[in-house]
Amino acid sequence: SAGGSSFNDTTTFQLLEEKTGCHVEWQHPAAGAEKERFNMMIASGEYPDAIVYNWTDVNGGIDSYVDDGVIVDLTRYIEECMPNFSKLLSENPEFKKSVMTDDGKILSIPYIRKDKQLCIYQGTLIRQDWLDKLNLKAPTTPEELEKVLMAFKTQDPNGNGQADEIPMTGSLMDSTAYGIGNLLWAFGTHYDFFVKDGEVRYGVLDDRIEEGMEYITKLYREGLIDVDFLINDRTKMDAKMMGDQSGFVFTFQPTMYSTNMNDGTRKVEGIPFLKGPHGDQNVFVPDYANSTTATSIAITTANKNPEGSLKWLDNFFGGKGLEYMNFGKEGLTFNWEDGYPKLTDYVLNNPDGIDRMSMCGMNIGAYDSAFPTLQDWRYYEQTLSDWGRNAIETWTNNADTSGILPPLSFTAEENEQINRVMTDVKTYVSESLSKIVVGNEPVSFLSMVQNRVKEMGIEDVLKIYNDAYQRYMAR
């Protein structure tokens, strides 16, 4: 999407080839066709030397691909062939825990976010200029949010003389990035799996779900939540925020808003997550607590030199290779200034008018989590606006991540049962919660929903999750 036909067109991988003498032939599937191409490749039995994929979510679990002779167990090679990677794991036990399987094996090499701020890029945003105009402070509790949203609805903060404000926009109840269901978090509960008191729970069965749903339905009845939340997507929500229609949303850090809105008058700010009636300030965005991403690379059994491949991959976790991945080419894309790698205008304000995203994609290998490496906050922060950096700092310092489920591993049998049950459960729960919000069912309908998901097998799935959670904690 940045303009190259393969990674070989990018500055990072050209520098890596010069450094290592290793030429790579890339096979890039079309966007959206990754899963289909992967399944076709596995079925054919003809594999490349290595495969970059979401190995945390493959059918049957990654272990089954070792058992089936598709990929290689890398455990015995890591210490000898990957000193940079080994050092990283030894110095960061949490990285190691998320990289290995329950029985202590390493089967793929992941993309790792080195710094905490890199994990935190979603949260609560509000129109600060609207608050200022109405002499209001940013809300810190659900009750304060309700008052602010009511002021947005009734006091014409966009100044057009019409009652056309949509106080809060959002999408489906169970959308972690944008969903209005994220309002449940302040009540210490969730619409999905989470950890509480050392065990995995499912939100719909939690004793606080009714209190949280009462709050959300009240906001909707009062006209404070976007009536289009069931059909909204990011484009529609962004348009409402940037078009002075809406004032509050759960979404990504606001650099894009800054690019389109920062006229010296309008302003969007990230605010702390709400603190609820029981003192909870929860966030359940998985990445907040998980430094490894879904992107990882596995070495296949077709590879005639796995040791050499791993030595090449180790460049992405230390030394000059890591510098190439995060900053590109010294003198072209960055320069060292007082020990800080400062990106140049060639990337950030390209003289030929190429947009920043494309320049980062063509020159910074760590950008957009495209290939396993160790990501560095120092490059990423330079791609953000002040609005974006400030929001990330605010969210980093004001969120309880203790309830986030870590990246669990399941056996093939466990995966089969989870998929069999949860496909229907998730659809049913999402539809049922939405019916309650819009008033088609009362909040008391939750008791029927709870009974129904039990009949569908949720308690068996919860046992699987708790067994997997205990295995993870014992790693």
Side-chain angles (χ1 to χ4, degrees):
S1 62
S5 61
S6 82
F7 279 148
N8 286 334
D9 294 328
T10 68
T11 297
T12 289
F13 286 94
Q14 289 170 358
L15 291 170
L16 256 296
E17 183 167 344
E18 290 176 14
K19 181 180 185 295
T20 63
C22 178
H23 178 75
V24 179
E25 294 181 7
W26 300 95
Q27 299 174 8
H28 296 298
E34 299 91 347
K35 190 170 185 177
E36 179 184 3
R37 281 283 301 275
F38 176 82
N39 290 334
M40 290 174 60
M41 177 174 58
I42 298 302
S44 73
E46 298 181 4
Y47 318 127
D49 290 329
I51 304 171
V52 180
Y53 194 61
N54 178 2
W55 285 103
T56 63
D57 193 34
V58 287
N59 290 335
I62 189 172
D63 302 76
S64 66
Y65 288 78
V66 177
D67 297 338
D68 293 342
V70 176
I71 63 173
V72 177
D73 181 349
L74 305 179
T75 313
R76 64 189 178 96
Y77 298 111
I78 296 297
E79 187 172 348
E80 177 184 352
C81 300
M82 300 191 73
N84 290 321
F85 187 67
S86 296
K87 183 173 183 289
L88 177 68
L89 297 189
S90 66
E91 294 176 350
N92 299 273
E94 284 304 308
F95 289 176
K96 186 174 183 179
K97 183 181 285 191
S98 62
V99 166
M100 66 171 50
T101 61
D102 290 333
D103 55 1
K105 296 177 181 177
I106 296 177
L107 306 183
S108 66
I109 309 300
Y111 184 102
I112 300 177
R113 299 184 175 110
K114 177 183 177 184
D115 305 294
K116 186 65 178 175
Q117 299 98 314
L118 292 165
C119 303
I120 297 174
Y121 50 86
Q122 300 174 33
T124 46
L125 296 180
I126 200 163
R127 286 291 296 267
Q128 182 63 44
D129 55 315
W130 286 13
L131 292 176
D132 294 341
K133 182 176 181 179
L134 303 180
N135 295 314
L136 298 171
K137 293 182 179 179
T140 61
T141 67
E143 292 77 12
E144 290 178 6
L145 176 64
E146 182 180 2
K147 292 177 181 177
V148 166
L149 295 181
M150 184 60 72
F152 285 176
K153 175 181 171 64
T154 60
Q155 297 181 33
D156 192 28
N158 67 15
N160 68 354
Q162 302 177 35
D164 59 351
E165 286 84 357
I166 303 167
M168 175 184 178
T169 190
S171 66
L172 294 171
M173 278 290 295
D174 55 351
S175 168
T176 303
Y178 319 107
I180 64 170
N182 297 346
L183 292 168
L184 292 170
W185 299 350
F187 296 86
T189 192
H190 194 26
Y191 42 76
D192 207 340
F193 294 100
F194 68 108
V195 177
K196 187 175 183 179
D197 298 329
E199 68 173 356
V200 180
R201 302 190 183 189
Y202 189 59
V204 172
L205 302 180
D206 188 60
D207 54 5
R208 292 187 184 174
I209 187 74
E210 185 172 345
E211 183 181 19
M213 289 299 296
E214 289 278 10
Y215 174 75
I216 296 174
T217 56
K218 184 172 187 286
L219 295 189
Y220 187 84
R221 285 198 309 271
E222 293 173 341
L224 305 182
I225 292 177
D226 193 343
V227 294
D228 292 330
F229 78 90
L230 289 170
I231 59 173
N232 274 340
D233 56 21
R234 184 180 182 182
T235 300
K236 293 176 182 176
M237 290 183 290
D238 287 343
K240 291 173 183 178
M241 288 291 289
M242 293 187 293
D244 301 327
Q245 287 183 284
S246 191
F248 182 79
V249 69
F250 287 90
T251 188
F252 292 91
Q253 55 80 18
T255 290
M256 183 178 68
Y257 289 170
S258 178
T259 302
N260 291 278
M261 295 175 62
N262 190 1
D263 55 8
T265 301
R266 299 187 296 171
K267 189 173 185 180
V268 174
E269 283 196 357
I271 63 172
F273 287 88
L274 302 176
K275 183 173 288 188
H278 308 287
D280 301 284
Q281 199 174 18
N282 291 105
V283 57
F284 292 113
V285 181
D287 285 344
Y288 267 56
N290 302 327
S291 295
T292 56
T293 73
T295 301
S296 62
I297 187 168
I299 305 298
T300 74
T301 52
N303 192 317
K304 297 178 181 178
N305 185 9
E307 296 93 339
S309 294
L310 291 174
K311 289 177 182 178
W312 178 76
L313 283 170
D314 198 47
N315 286 284
F316 297 94
F317 294 92
K320 295 296 288 187
L322 185 58
E323 178 182 297
Y324 300 156
M325 283 296 285
N326 283 281
F327 309 108
K329 184 176 183 179
E330 186 175 0
L332 176 66
T333 62
F334 83 100
N335 291 298
W336 290 102
E337 296 183 8
D338 298 324
Y340 183 87
K342 179 75 172 174
L343 296 181
T344 65
D345 281 344
Y346 174 73
V347 174
L348 299 179
N349 299 289
N350 185 264
D352 295 325
I354 303 174
D355 66 274
R356 183 176 298 183
M357 184 179 296
S358 295
M359 289 304 297
C360 288
M362 289 298 292
N363 293 281
I364 297 174
Y367 191 71
D368 207 24
S369 310
F371 192 83
T373 189
L374 181 64
Q375 188 186 22
D376 193 314
W377 167 248
R378 292 176 298 176
Y379 94 77
Y380 185 63
E381 69 167 332
Q382 296 178 69
T383 69
L384 303 174
S385 68
D386 290 341
W387 293 7
R389 280 189 295 272
N390 292 339
I392 288 174
E393 192 70 28
T394 296
W395 298 334
T396 301
N397 296 324
N398 294 278
D400 179 359
T401 62
S402 61
I404 295 175
L405 199 67
L408 306 180
S409 297
F410 302 103
T411 67
E413 293 76 16
E414 288 173 336
N415 261 321
E416 183 180 350
Q417 186 168 359
I418 290 170
N419 292 333
R420 184 171 64 249
V421 173
M422 293 310 299
T423 299
D424 293 334
V425 165
K426 284 191 173 185
T427 300
Y428 173 70
V429 166
S430 180
E431 292 175 351
S432 297
L433 295 182
S434 295
K435 288 179 180 178
I436 293 173
V437 172
V438 301
N440 291 342
E441 296 287 356
V443 174
S444 59
F445 180 62
L446 279 170
S447 60
M448 184 177 298
V449 176
Q450 292 166 344
N451 290 331
R452 178 63 183 134
V453 295
K454 288 178 182 178
E455 293 172 357
M456 296 169 78
I458 190 63
E459 290 173 316
D460 292 335
V461 172
L462 268 173
K463 183 180 185 308
I464 292 174
Y465 266 80
N466 274 290
D467 289 346
Y469 178 68
Q470 294 306 319
R471 294 196 302 263
Y472 178 88
M473 296 304 292
R475 289 180 183 179

